[in-house]
């Protein structure tokens, strides 16, 4: 009766498995002491289930409950802060051991320091776990739109021999297709499993490569430890025998929490680059666009605005992360040190951001204003609403900086030419329509991304041609278009017919991007 009660929260805090899947028998569960009272996931009427105990529900029971509308994670997710705390404690003791061996730190002094750092360790651990459960909420909110990417991720794990879907109670390829047909995504318990696999696989990839040795990432090593310890025992932290593993852990957590379980696979498929390359590009984007501070501005809105609206604010940043990381993989200088790449992006943003509103087409300003109103209506602060509304435009800054370098032009002149081409060929409208396309399958999605990239490369190429041809002209694009005569006019007409007459499709966008590229 207690297990079936219609309550807000059912919390498991002891020993025993009380909920199973309808297709499981009590013998399958293996907890004979509770056979008489065990129920199925579909019979649980609590709005939320929390598992403070181990295996309060079987994984199939959780999935059944979640498919029926219940909200739960899993025991691994709900208890992860405890495991995280133990890991941090062990690594703190390992770091302090050399000081104890040298006699510069007594055991009593170490124990006192551990006690003093308790609250800070708790805060570090809770922040990490906040981001982890937020990642599940964001993945769940994307629902069926993410299914193709998650299916591809599961296939990639299977090829590497890392995943057995049957063992993990994950849906087969056919079952994923059935969910897609019904418009259903994966449940939180299923996403939690994939989140864990994504982090473990990425950790292995990072440790086996050179990225953890990048000097810039020393900050990630120090972020793992309490600030109080970092001040007094910096050299011990730098010499930690698990230094590379700690950096890899911090990176894997951050990248997967912010990008989602399929982030690495998705960007590898789009770029052909290694997992380490993807992470390096992500770091450039996160630090270059100063996203940690932006995320904190959204975090503080907990319980002050609608939760669904708050998730959409996070999703807006997530879209920038995916697009900007892909740009870095395709066009960034992978051979340059991370610090140099980050500084270049920050410098370009500092130069261009104050002038963006004056340079973008009027139609783009209308789009931004509409977004600003929508975000402001959620109750978020005006400063945050403004930054988020301008993110899709801010995302273009690296492309403008690349244009300036290629054309040997000043940044603001490059921005004028860039947005003049955007307006001349209505690229903003085309990209907005492209974002609304729902690809039929995973590879249609790759084709869509490739067509958008071709379109954007063509925009940069046309702006470069105009800047090179008319370097001293205030309006080089206007001059270039006039010089192009009938050929340019005909291409514009063809683009308009393809992209504005009827629904935009992947095939139409592919043809349109090809026409643009041919003009270059």
């Amino acid at each position: 009766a207690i297990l079936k009660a219609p309550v807000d929260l059912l919390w498991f805090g002891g020993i025993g498995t009380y909920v199973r899947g309808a297709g499981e028998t009590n013998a399958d569960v293996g907890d004979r002491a509770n056979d008489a009272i065990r129920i199925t996931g579909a019979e649980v009427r609590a709005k939320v289930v929390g598992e403070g105990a181990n295996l309060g529900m079987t994984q199939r029971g959780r999935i059944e409950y979640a498919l029926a509308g219940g909200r739960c994670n899993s025991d691994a997710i709900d208890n992860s802060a405890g495991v995280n705390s133990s890991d941090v404690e062990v690594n703190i003791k390992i770091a302090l051991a050399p000081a104890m061996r040298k006699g510069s730190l007594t055991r009593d002094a170490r124990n006192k320091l551990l006690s003093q750092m308790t609250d800070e360790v708790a805060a570090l651990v809770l922040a990490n776990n906040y981001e982890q459960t937020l990642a599940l909420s964001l993945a769940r909110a994307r629902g069926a739109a993410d299914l193709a990417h998650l299916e591809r991720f599961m296939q990639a794990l299977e090829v590497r021999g890392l995943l057995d879907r049957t063992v993990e109670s994950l849906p087969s390829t056919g079952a994923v297709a059935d969910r897609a047909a019904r418009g259903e995504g994966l449940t939180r318990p299923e996403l939690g499993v994939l989140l864990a696999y994504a982090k473990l696989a990425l950790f292995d990839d990072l440790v086996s490569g050179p990225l953890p040795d990048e000097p810039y990432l020393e900050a990630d090593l120090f972020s793992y430890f309490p600030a109080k310890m970092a001040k007094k025992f910096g050299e011990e932290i730098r010499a930690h025998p698990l230094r590379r593993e700690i950096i890899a852990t911090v990176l894997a957590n951050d990248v997967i929490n912010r990008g989602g379980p399929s982030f690495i696979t998705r960007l590898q498929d789009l770029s052909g680059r290694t997992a380490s390359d993807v992470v390096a590009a992500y770091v450039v984007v996160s630090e270059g666009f100063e996203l940690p501070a932006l995320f904190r501005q959204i975090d503080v809105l907990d319980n002050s605005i609608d939760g669904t609206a708050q998730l959409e604010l996070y999703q807006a940043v997530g879209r920038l992360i995916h697009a900007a990381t892909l740009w870095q993989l395709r066009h960034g200088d992978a051979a340059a040190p991370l610090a140099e790449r980050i500084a270049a992006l920050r410098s370009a943003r500092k130069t261009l951001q104050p002038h963006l509103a004056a340079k973008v087409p009027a139609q783009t300003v209308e789009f931004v204003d509409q977004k600003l109103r929508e975000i402001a209506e959620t109750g978020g602060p005006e400063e945050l609403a403004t930054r988020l509304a301008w993110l899709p435009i801010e995302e273009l800054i690296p492309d403008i900086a690349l244009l300036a370098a290629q054309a040997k032009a000043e940044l603001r002149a490059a921005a004028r030419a860039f947005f003049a081409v955007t307006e001349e060929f209505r690229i903003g409208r085309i990209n907005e329509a492209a974002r609304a396309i729902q690809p039929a399958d995973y590879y249609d999605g790759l084709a869509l991304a490739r067509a958008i990239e071709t379109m954007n490369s063509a925009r940069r190429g046309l702006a470069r041609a105009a800047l090179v041809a008319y370097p001293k002209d205030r309006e080089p694009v206007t001059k270039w278009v006039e010089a192009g005569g009938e050929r340019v006019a005909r291409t514009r007409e063809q683009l308009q017919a393809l992209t504005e007459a009827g629904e935009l499709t992947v095939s139409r966008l592919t043809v349109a991007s090809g026409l643009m590229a041919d003009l270059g």
Side-chain angles (χ1 to χ4, degrees), residues 450-487:
R450 181 61 64 185
I452 293 172
E453 163 64 12
T454 302
M455 177 76 71
N456 291 336
S457 292
R459 167 170 53 185
R460 189 173 60 250
L462 299 184
R464 182 174 64 248
L467 286 165
V468 170
Y470 305 98
K472 296 182 180 180
D473 201 290
R474 176 74 180 174
E475 302 294 339
V477 173
T478 301
K479 284 286 185 66
W480 182 86
V481 168
E482 290 172 355
E486 186 181 342
R487 180 174 176 239

Side-chain angles (χ1 to χ4, degrees), residues 399-411 413-415 417-418 460-472 476:
D399 221 25
I400 296 170
L402 178 60
L403 166 62
Q406 291 175 339
K408 296 181 173 54
E410 191 266 334
L411 262 177
F418 184 92
R460 189 173 60 250
L462 299 184
R464 182 174 64 248
L467 286 165
V468 170
Y470 305 98
K472 296 182 180 180

Side-chain angles (χ1 to χ4, degrees), residues 177-386:
D178 290 341
R179 291 215 199 164
R182 297 193 301 268
E184 291 180 358
L186 296 187
T187 63
R188 287 182 74 95
E190 292 166 320
L191 290 167
V193 170
L194 292 183
L195 197 76
Y197 271 92
K199 291 181 178 182
L200 290 168
L202 181 54
F203 171 85
D204 289 342
D205 290 337
L206 291 173
V207 167
S208 65
L211 189 61
D213 301 314
E214 237 281 354
Y216 187 85
L217 298 177
E218 185 176 278
D220 289 284
L221 173 68
F222 276 82
S223 73
Y224 181 88
F225 295 96
K228 185 178 182 68
M229 177 180 168
K231 288 178 183 177
K232 295 184 64 176
F233 298 97
E235 288 307 310
E236 285 79 2
I237 289 175
R238 288 187 184 91
H240 200 294
L242 296 176
R243 169 195 174 99
R244 301 182 83 257
E245 287 79 2
I246 291 171
I247 291 172
T249 297
V250 172
L251 285 173
N253 276 329
D254 187 31
V255 172
I256 302 303
N257 284 343
R258 296 308 189 188
S262 62
F263 181 75
I264 298 295
T265 303
R266 184 175 179 180
L267 289 180
Q268 282 186 285
D269 283 349
L270 286 166
S271 67
R273 304 288 289 277
T274 68
S276 288
D277 290 337
V278 176
V279 173
Y282 166 86
V283 172
V284 172
V285 168
S286 180
E287 294 294 306
F289 283 99
E290 299 171 283
L291 298 185
L294 183 57
F295 278 123
R296 285 193 294 272
Q297 287 182 276
I298 304 174
D299 293 341
V300 299
L301 300 178
D302 284 352
N303 302 315
S304 64
I305 68 170
D306 176 75
T308 302
Q310 187 181 11
L311 289 179
E312 185 49 45
L313 302 185
Y314 286 113
Q315 300 282 30
V317 186
R319 285 188 282 272
L320 168 75
I321 288 173
H322 277 77
T325 302
L326 179 58
W327 190 95
Q328 289 292 333
L329 287 166
R330 286 174 170 162
H331 305 292
D333 184 1
L338 283 179
E340 185 180 308
R341 296 171 67 185
I342 291 163
L345 177 52
R346 287 185 177 178
S347 175
R349 287 180 56 235
K350 184 177 180 181
T351 300
L352 287 178
Q353 270 182 319
H355 307 283
L356 283 178
K359 295 189 183 327
V360 298
Q363 181 191 339
T364 302
V365 174
E366 290 175 13
F367 170 78
V368 170
D369 286 343
Q370 174 62 28
K371 285 291 181 187
L372 201 157
R373 286 191 295 272
E374 290 172 4
I375 296 168
E377 285 171 5
T378 68
E382 183 179 348
E383 179 187 350
L384 174 62
T386 301

